[in-house]
Amino acid sequence: MKKALTAALLLALAASPALAADTDTVAPVDTAITVDHAPHPFNVRDLVMMQRVSDPQLSQDGRYAAFGVRSTDYAANKGVNAIAVLDLSHDGRPVTVAAKGASSPRWAPDGKSVYYVAPADGVAQLWRLDFAAGEGGLDLAGHKAPVQVSHGVLDVQAYKLSPDGKSVLLSYAVFTDCGTLACTRRKQDRRAADKATGTIYRKLFVRHWDTWADGTRNQLYLARFGANGQLPAEPTLLSRGIDGDIPSKPFGDDSEFAFSPDGRTVYFDVRIAGHGEPWSTNFDIYKVPADGSAAPVNLTAGNKAWDAYPVPSPDGRTLYYLAMKVPGFEADRFGIMALDLATGAKHEVDPQWDRSPGGMGISADGRTLYVTADDNGQHPLFAVDAASGKVRQLVGNGEVSAYSLAGSRLLLARDDLKHPADLYTVHADGKDLRQVTHYNAAMLANAREGDFEFFTFKGWNDEAVQGYVVKPVGYEPGRKYPVAFIIHGGPQGAMTNSWSYRWNPQTYAGQGFAVVTINFHGSTGYGQKFTDSISGDWGGKPLQDLKLGWQAALDKYSFLDGNRACALGASYGGYMTYWIAGVWNQPWKCLVDHDGVFDARMMYYATEELWFEEHENGGPQFEVPANYEKFNPLDHVKDWRVPMLVVHSGHDFRIPITQGLGAFTAMQRRGIPSEFLTFPDENHWVLKPHNSVLWHDTVNAWLKQWTAEPAAKQ
């Protein structure tokens, strides 16, 4: 690796026999998949059966951790969510306290209860779990039966407790012309009973990500707990008059709204829909009285780009939030902004830091902001001085995917290229990093993985570009190995030192492949200029980096067999796979394209988030048609010659399935060996366990077919 792991982190990650024997786990579910418990190369069956740790939440005294754990019921073809709690005061084991689809744990302010979301009669409701307290602390194993505290007729989309614990913010998907949740429920029931299935749309979005628009909006409500701890069936609407989603679709969460420290004011971010929602990134932050006595007020109307993720200071005087500067550009750099709530004055806290932070939190004294950000192939946790903007890294080498703060202690969910997420604690100054859960230790002790190393080379314009290589499992010096050359999506993304349940390099290393990947111009974590450079140049600088990076890897790593290599990519990586099929097909024995852009022209009219296409191509297709043809893979089909596996799914509305069908048609008409794999029930990602296994088995078989040694083919 380019940078060595710290000694503390190496100790935390070491899988000793004692550690493996003390593996954390939730209650097992009935499965119908064969998992090899003897030593073996890592494979997709290991991947889909791993327990996924997420959403760490510290109690206010910093002693207890609550978090989510997802296991896999392979027979039922689904993930099963549960909540566990761990006493951090000693080296104990987590206790599963809620199952049956429980998620989103949050501690009550008194630290004696955990709230969470779980279904009741098919509707997602808010529940509370109370723990008895004794001289030794909370009785985690002997907790009381959970209590359902919400009884609404609609699913709770997201929630946040008030600082005093007496009320809660709730998000529901409602018809905005309805005055009650019950009204929305009645409309939905009438629609479901109607034998006519047609829907009339009068504006975009017609569909978004993987869902057809049904006319509802996520709206923000406040409900107060009664003396019996119960919430009213009809809460108070706070987002009155707001034509937008709180939280945003499709991936918004409770980081998009917040209480003031005194609980009297609520802040939230939203993009007003209107007619132009599909080509706008103009999110703004609003404030509204928590009692709903007045309409929301826009605090950031002056910025036509993205303002979001409000974090009030503990003294209530300052509102911190993240803001972009370029309208219509979803990958612009987020800056940390500070808004003086008394005067309305705003300033950027960190203008000198050339990274794009996210996941912002604040210390109890208000002096330190905590954020994560891509940074040179890693995704560390950083501390930012709120006064000076000075940034220091607290935990690096890997990915900090989520964290929680209480006093001087941080609780992290952390992963890397060889380890799925587990929980760690660390002091707020970055010292004393300690792993506190070991959910997949036993599995990883038997599933052998490939070692990895970052490398840097001179890419386009002689600028430094980074990539990494993963050695195949069972690597032997002196041997050559076939190569999976993975091209990342985004395109403003990166292949980092992190764990993935979709494009995981270890699944290829376990099949005997070396893996090479390049963070070409346009990738995140190398400065905003580097990220911006791909816009308008999809087939230019990135292709040069891929060519130069491939040659640099071959020159540096003698075990790479350049004559037995296949290129693979998804989304933008799929676009690039179609592009190189026509303009750089010489090195490759085969190609794998997942949900890629085949026809740049039609992509503009078929996708949903038009702001992305318009920024990347300099405007709408009808205004700048030449820009959409400059790097259009469709125009080079006559030069295609390499066998290709095309994968595209029916619920992918970001890059619709006709793009993949078009490419497969081109391959078949040209007489080039090709296959088409489709999942009618998946979106831009393949998520269901059985589908994930089929995806990997099909891709691996394709790679092996075309990279086999000549003698093995006979």
Side-chain angles (χ1 to χ4, degrees):
M1 293 179 62
K2 184 178 178 183
K3 292 177 68 178
L5 292 170
T6 65
L9 190 53
L10 283 170
L11 288 172
L13 295 176
S16 66
L19 182 76
D22 192 33
T23 302
D24 300 324
T25 183
V26 297
V29 295
D30 183 30
T31 64
I33 189 172
T34 301
V35 177
D36 193 347
H37 296 290
H40 63 278
F42 184 83
N43 61 56
V44 65
R45 286 152 182 82
D46 299 313
L47 185 72
V48 300
M49 295 309 297
M50 284 184 154
Q51 301 198 78
R52 308 184 188 187
V53 179
S54 64
D55 202 6
Q57 300 291 325
L58 267 177
S59 60
Q60 280 71 4
D61 61 3
R63 176 172 173 176
Y64 298 97
F67 53 97
V69 184
R70 201 201 91 160
S71 57
T72 299
D73 185 341
Y74 195 74
N77 198 26
K78 65 180 183 179
V80 180
N81 292 320
I83 291 171
V85 177
L86 175 64
D87 186 345
L88 298 169
S89 66
H90 61 275
D91 295 326
R93 302 275 298 275
V95 177
T96 302
V97 296
K100 297 182 179 180
S103 64
S104 304
R106 299 293 184 268
W107 288 97
D110 64 7
K112 297 179 181 179
S113 303
V114 167
Y115 289 86
Y116 62 90
V117 175
D121 298 324
V123 179
Q125 302 285 6
L126 190 64
W127 296 71
R128 188 186 73 247
L129 187 66
D130 299 322
F131 298 100
E135 293 184 2
L138 300 181
D139 183 3
L140 301 182
H143 59 78
K144 302 177 183 178
V147 177
Q148 181 182 339
V149 298
S150 75
H151 302 271
V153 293
L154 303 177
D155 291 332
V156 173
Q157 303 290 322
Y159 76 97
K160 182 167 286 184
L161 295 167
S162 64
D164 62 7
K166 295 181 179 180
S167 59
V168 60
L169 293 171
L170 298 164
S171 175
Y172 290 104
V174 300
F175 294 109
T176 55
D177 60 349
C178 274
T180 64
L181 303 186
C183 168
T184 292
R185 179 80 264 175
R186 288 193 296 272
K187 280 193 172 186
Q188 291 174 334
D189 291 343
R190 286 197 299 269
R191 181 176 292 181
D194 192 341
K195 296 186 184 303
T197 59
T199 301
I200 298 174
Y201 293 96
R202 293 183 173 86
K203 66 177 183 178
L204 299 173
F205 292 114
V206 167
R207 57 186 189 176
H208 198 181
W209 186 249
D210 60 2
T211 304
W212 287 87
D214 65 358
T216 62
R217 290 285 184 194
N218 290 343
Q219 294 284 282
L220 195 62
Y221 294 79
L222 183 133
R224 299 190 182 279
F225 292 103
N228 60 356
Q230 297 292 300
L231 296 173
E234 291 292 343
T236 300
L237 176 65
L238 297 185
S239 51
R240 177 159 36 102
I242 296 293
D243 180 20
D245 289 294
I246 311 160
S248 59
K249 296 176 181 177
F251 305 119
D253 58 27
D254 64 343
S255 65
E256 296 189 50
F257 50 86
F259 278 101
S260 62
D262 62 9
R264 296 179 180 178
T265 304
V266 170
Y267 304 98
F268 63 86
D269 67 63
V270 66
R271 174 179 55 211
I272 300 301
H275 176 68
E277 184 179 23
W279 49 91
S280 170
T281 61
N282 185 20
F283 282 78
D284 281 307
I285 294 177
Y286 289 74
K287 71 173 182 179
V288 63
D291 61 5
S293 59
V297 175
N298 191 340
L299 300 177
T300 60
N303 182 27
K304 302 305 179 183
W306 201 325
D307 304 286
Y309 312 110
V311 176
S313 62
D315 62 11
R317 297 178 180 177
T318 305
L319 183 68
Y320 296 97
Y321 61 97
L322 301 180
M324 294 182 177
K325 296 180 175 64
V326 181
F329 186 24
E330 67 179 14
D332 189 25
R333 173 184 171 271
F334 269 124
I336 302 173
M337 302 297 295
L339 166 63
D340 186 314
L341 291 167
T343 67
K346 305 179 182 73
H347 73 274
E348 185 173 354
V349 174
D350 62 333
Q352 77 290 343
W353 190 34
D354 196 9
R355 294 295 182 266
S356 187
M360 185 163 59
I362 192 167
S363 62
D365 62 10
R367 296 180 180 179
T368 305
L369 298 165
Y370 297 91
V371 294
T372 60
D374 280 354
D375 183 53
N376 292 305
Q378 315 289 336
H379 192 79
L381 176 68
F382 298 91
V384 182
D385 185 270
S388 69
K390 182 179 180 181
V391 180
R392 56 192 174 92
Q393 181 178 296
L394 295 182
V395 178
N397 296 307
E399 176 187 45
V400 175
S401 58
Y403 69 92
S404 178
L405 171 68
S408 61
R409 170 177 271 178
L410 286 155
L411 178 70
L412 317 172
R414 186 202 167 277
D415 59 87
D416 61 36
L417 270 165
K418 296 186 73 173
H419 304 85
D422 262 308
L423 299 187
Y424 296 74
T425 58
V426 67
H427 193 273
D429 62 6
K431 297 179 180 178
D432 300 323
L433 181 69
R434 183 170 72 96
Q435 185 173 351
V436 295
T437 67
H438 311 88
Y439 268 86
N440 297 286
M443 181 180 288
L444 290 175
N446 290 320
R448 292 179 286 125
E449 299 177 288
D451 293 328
F452 65 94
E453 180 177 304
F454 280 87
F455 69 98
T456 302
F457 61 94
K458 289 185 177 180
W460 174 84
N461 199 33
D462 282 341
E463 295 177 5
V465 177
Q466 187 185 51
Y468 66 71
V469 169
V470 181
K471 292 180 179 178
V473 173
Y475 166 78
E476 297 177 7
R479 285 190 58 188
K480 283 186 174 292
Y481 295 90
V483 185
F485 186 73
I486 299 177
I487 305 169
H488 75 68
Q492 293 91 354
M495 292 289 284
T496 60
N497 180 15
S498 59
W499 189 261
S500 174
Y501 286 97
R502 294 189 303 276
W503 285 78
N504 190 316
Q506 296 296 348
T507 64
Y508 304 98
Q511 296 293 311
F513 288 89
V515 176
V516 176
T517 187
I518 304 298
N519 285 332
F520 44 79
H521 276 77
S523 301
T524 53
Y526 305 95
Q528 193 60 37
K529 181 180 178 182
F530 192 90
T531 299
D532 291 345
S533 65
I534 195 174
S535 298
D537 196 31
W538 275 28
K541 292 184 284 291
L543 178 64
Q544 287 298 105
D545 288 346
L546 291 170
K547 288 181 175 180
L548 293 168
W550 174 239
Q551 188 58 54
L554 292 177
D555 293 342
K556 183 176 178 65
Y557 302 102
S558 60
F559 59 85
L560 301 177
D561 190 340
N563 295 316
R564 291 192 296 145
C566 292
L568 311 83
S571 197
Y572 170 83
Y575 158 84
M576 180 55 74
T577 301
Y578 289 142
W579 182 240
I580 67 177
V583 303
W584 184 43
N585 53 36
Q586 297 82 9
W588 314 116
K589 296 300 181 186
C590 73
L591 301 170
V592 177
D593 193 293
H594 178 104
D595 292 6
V597 176
F598 170 59
D599 181 1
R601 181 199 308 109
M602 190 57 201
M603 172 65 180
Y604 174 78
Y605 294 101
T607 192
E608 9 85 293
E609 294 183 351
L610 294 179
W611 66 76
F612 174 77
E613 285 290 314
E614 293 183 7
H615 181 272
E616 293 305 292
N617 292 286
Q621 189 277 336
F622 52 82
E623 291 183 358
V624 287
N627 293 3
Y628 287 78
E629 295 304 320
K630 185 178 181 182
F631 300 112
N632 194 350
L634 176 146
D635 295 332
H636 296 269
V637 168
K638 64 181 177 59
D639 297 316
W640 285 16
R641 66 172 185 83
V642 179
M644 186 187 303
L645 168 65
V646 176
V647 184
H648 221 114
S649 296
H651 283 177
D652 184 357
F653 302 155
R654 181 62 39 84
I655 303 177
I657 193 171
T658 50
Q659 295 280 319
L661 284 168
F664 181 59
T665 298
M667 297 291 292
Q668 290 283 299
R669 188 64 181 85
R670 289 286 322 280
I672 301 170
S674 51
E675 293 180 0
F676 182 71
L677 172 63
T678 186
F679 300 95
D681 55 346
E682 297 284 7
N683 56 35
H684 201 53
W685 304 326
V686 175
L687 302 175
K688 293 181 174 65
H690 283 261
N691 288 346
S692 180
V693 170
L694 176 59
W695 188 98
H696 284 84
D697 285 349
T698 303
V699 169
N700 287 329
W702 187 256
L703 298 181
K704 290 177 180 179
Q705 176 183 346
W706 297 103
T707 62
E709 295 277 14
K713 291 183 178 180
Q714 300 176 357

